[in-house]
Amino acid sequence: MKKTGLSVEEMNEAQMQSALGPEFVWGVATSAYQIEGAASEDGRGESIWDVFSRQSGKVLNGDSGQTACNHYHLWKEDLDLIKGLGVDAYRFSFAWPRVQPQGRGALNPKGLDFYERLIDGMLERGLQPHGTLYHWDLPQHLQEEGGWGLRTTAEHFANYAEVIGRKFGDRLTSLATHNEPWCTAVLGNLTGKFAPGYRDPQLAAQVSHHLLLSHGLAVKAMRAAGVRTQFGIVLNQSSVSAATDSAHDRAKAQTEYCSFVRWFMDPIFRGVYPQDPGIAHYPDIRAGDMEVIHTPIDFLGINYYTRIWASASQPEVPPPKVLGESDMGWEIYPDGLFELLKDVNRDYKLPPVFITENGMACVDVLRDGKVEDQARIEYLRMHLQSVANARQAGVDIRGYFYWSLMDNFEWESGYAKRFGLVHVDYSTQKRTLKRSAHWYREMIGRHKGEVSMGHKNA
Ligand code: GCO
């Protein structure tokens, strides 16, 4: 009997390890607002998430990132924790309002010092720092001027990028401009589920354009300033399945693929927006914008959690969820990662790819100092198989970052959803490795063992 339901080629672990190759980079990921806390300390400015979290009914239980995992103060022990997992790399984000409280003009030396300590702390521990400039925490001051709906915000972002690039670029292994611009544009400005909470489709289209523009402007500005690191962007992507073979479902699947994947990929890798009869709102574009967005990049980060299920009928045909769902209600569908990687590799000329996020929220229970999260281990194992299969199919994937290092502030779900390899008790800030953390560490250890054996035999 087929236990996992994976349709991609099943491999044993040794085969998977060898498909990933000796240079494969293992990591864990976090973001500033979700872990740092210290939201009102040392001169940090307010972000749109501070303000949004205070509005009643926006975040479950009225939670916010005010304290979060208190990583701003516990960064040293957190870096030790990461080191202890045996990973090669740590993906983190800079909080723009900590570095530049108003989003433009004066810098905050204490904020810069924090990232200096953090990056040097990684280097001292032999961890590769992979930074992200923007993980959704726009300085509130810029929001009040019009936020990402304004073209000038893209210019301010490029200035901020240059500050970070000049100061830290030579110490960073990579620097991504944006994390999941789709979320900022659509969840922030179309559905209103995320900060700043607008529901305006034309604004959402314009915001997506300014985010892409800011990405291109930032990469160009940092390169012009002589910053040397790997530049890229991180996009959330999914494979899309039509619920049935009907023309309506297939058309819906195509529109979903266009608005989710191609909307960002086409401008970056082809210099145009995709056309689809199901997409009603296009942004205003100025001469030269598309060339800026089309600036070459050194890597692409892909975040994958689940597939998109496209059903045009009413009521909708639900996804089969053969392998179950996560605590977010997201279908577990590891094949989708393989399908997606194969498709984008066929359709675009890709730079090296990193899986910059992939992970699962589980109902984790801490009992006798242990969290037995077998479902997360299975999720990880199956998705790594997909990555290995995609590599065998010729996709140049260089590394994998589990989301997330530790439980943290899960946006509108507050602290109710746990994605971590490490459990966080928010009342004491105690960190406890879950079973999955041990599994990840041991699997990486075997990979490195295989690697050095491989070298010996070579
Ligand atoms: C994401 C985010 C994370 C989320 C994670 C789970 O990029 O969507 O980087 O902030 O916590 O994806 O929803």
Side-chain angles (χ1 to χ4, degrees):
M1 202 181 87
K2 209 163 166 224
K3 207 173 112 260
T4 65
L6 267 185
S7 68
V8 294
E9 186 198 331
E10 294 222 32
M11 309 171 169
N12 63 33
E13 192 187 284
Q15 289 167 325
M16 180 196 91
Q17 302 273 21
S18 101
L20 295 177
E23 309 296 330
F24 197 77
V25 173
W26 297 104
V28 286
T30 65
S31 89
Y33 190 70
Q34 295 179 274
I35 65 165
E36 283 181 4
S40 324
E41 285 178 51
D42 289 347
R44 177 185 176 277
E46 278 207 313
S47 81
I48 54 175
W49 270 94
D50 296 291
V51 174
F52 187 73
S53 304
R54 281 200 298 268
Q55 293 168 19
S56 97
K58 300 294 190 196
V59 177
L60 190 69
N61 302 322
D63 289 341
S64 78
Q66 187 68 27
T67 308
C69 305
N70 197 21
H71 170 74
Y72 186 74
H73 295 292
L74 299 178
W75 62 272
K76 240 188 219 161
E77 72 172 60
D78 287 340
L79 290 184
D80 289 341
L81 199 62
I82 297 169
K83 182 67 189 163
L85 292 175
V87 296
D88 308 294
Y90 175 43
R91 174 173 180 247
F92 69 104
S93 80
F94 295 93
W96 187 355
R98 201 181 283 292
V99 169
Q100 202 173 25
Q102 306 272 293
R104 57 186 167 81
L107 300 173
N108 176 29
K110 286 189 173 164
L112 286 164
D113 286 351
F114 171 67
Y115 294 109
E116 175 113 36
R117 292 193 292 277
L118 190 67
I119 291 166
D120 287 347
M122 287 179 228
L123 295 176
E124 279 160 23
R125 289 166 181 78
L127 294 167
Q128 302 172 15
H130 292 255
T132 298
L133 287 165
Y134 187 81
H135 201 122
W136 312 346
D137 43 0
L138 186 72
Q140 174 64 15
H141 182 78
L142 291 186
Q143 185 61 50
E144 281 161 18
E145 292 181 344
W148 289 110
L150 286 188
R151 197 177 169 87
T152 46
T153 300
E155 288 154 16
H156 297 317
F157 179 77
N159 291 335
Y160 153 66
E162 199 182 321
V163 167
I164 296 290
R166 281 183 190 273
K167 183 129 179 88
F168 303 118
D170 59 344
R171 282 173 274 177
L172 295 172
T173 304
S174 79
L175 185 56
T177 51
H178 285 282
N179 176 74
E180 303 191 355
W182 179 90
C183 291
T184 301
V186 173
L187 302 181
N189 296 277
L190 177 64
T191 68
K193 277 176 67 172
F194 279 13
Y198 295 128
R199 292 185 188 173
D200 177 343
Q202 191 56 45
L203 174 64
Q206 198 60 46
V207 164
S208 70
H209 182 64
H210 289 154
L211 290 166
L212 282 165
L213 179 67
S214 77
H215 155 76
L217 289 174
V219 171
K220 278 175 150 335
M222 290 188 285
R223 284 209 179 112
V227 177
R228 262 193 291 279
T229 181
Q230 307 282 310
F231 296 111
I233 187 166
V234 171
L235 304 176
N236 48 321
Q237 299 191 345
S238 290
S239 61
V240 182
S241 309
T244 72
D245 218 21
S246 77
H248 287 312
D249 285 351
R250 278 188 286 124
K252 179 153 185 195
Q254 202 148 12
T255 300
E256 294 280 5
Y257 191 70
C258 250
S259 55
F260 200 72
V261 176
R262 291 190 53 198
W263 188 262
F264 296 92
M265 291 291 276
D266 283 18
I268 292 169
F269 294 110
R270 296 180 183 152
V272 288
Y273 281 101
Q275 300 294 322
D276 184 276
I279 297 180
H281 299 271
Y282 282 82
D284 270 347
I285 303 166
R286 290 205 196 153
D289 284 3
M290 299 314 290
E291 277 146 61
V292 171
I293 296 170
H294 188 38
T295 301
I297 50 176
D298 305 310
F299 77 94
L300 171 68
I302 292 181
N303 295 353
Y304 175 86
Y305 289 90
T306 187
R307 70 169 152 183
I308 291 177
W309 183 256
S311 169
S313 56
Q314 279 310 331
E316 292 183 10
V317 177
K321 300 197 178 174
V322 175
L323 297 174
E325 62 179 22
S326 75
D327 192 32
M328 300 295 282
W330 299 344
E331 182 190 14
I332 297 170
Y333 189 68
D335 276 1
L337 180 53
F338 173 68
E339 290 162 10
L340 167 77
L341 289 166
K342 244 183 12 173
D343 287 355
V344 291
N345 194 52
R346 179 196 58 212
D347 295 344
Y348 303 92
K349 202 173 157 343
L350 296 182
V353 172
F354 286 86
I355 305 304
T356 32
E357 283 179 31
N358 173 240
M360 179 181 180
C362 299
V363 185
D364 293 320
V365 186
L366 179 66
R367 200 174 286 128
D368 302 329
K370 293 197 173 105
V371 179
E372 299 294 346
D373 55 341
Q374 196 57 38
R376 182 174 284 111
I377 294 173
E378 273 301 294
Y379 181 97
L380 245 162
R381 202 184 58 73
M382 291 189 291
H383 285 79
L384 287 172
Q385 289 231 352
S386 262
V387 174
N389 274 290
R391 262 188 70 104
Q392 278 192 329
V395 190
D396 183 10
I397 307 163
R398 303 285 178 93
Y400 174 94
F401 292 79
Y402 180 79
W403 181 272
S404 178
L405 163 67
M406 57 185 161
D407 299 336
N408 57 46
F409 176 75
E410 178 55 28
W411 309 111
E412 89 280 24
S413 307
Y415 295 96
K417 302 294 177 195
R418 295 179 178 271
F419 275 88
L421 292 174
V422 176
H423 179 275
V424 177
D425 177 334
Y426 296 107
S427 61
T428 60
Q429 291 297 349
K430 185 171 162 34
R431 278 77 161 132
T432 305
L433 267 59
K434 301 179 192 175
R435 176 67 59 208
S436 57
H438 295 285
W439 182 87
Y440 197 46
R441 178 168 46 75
E442 286 157 17
M443 188 272 303
I444 293 169
R446 288 191 293 274
H447 181 250
K448 299 202 181 296
E450 298 259 317
V451 170
S452 57
M453 262 168 53
H455 284 320
K456 249 182 265 154
N457 296 342

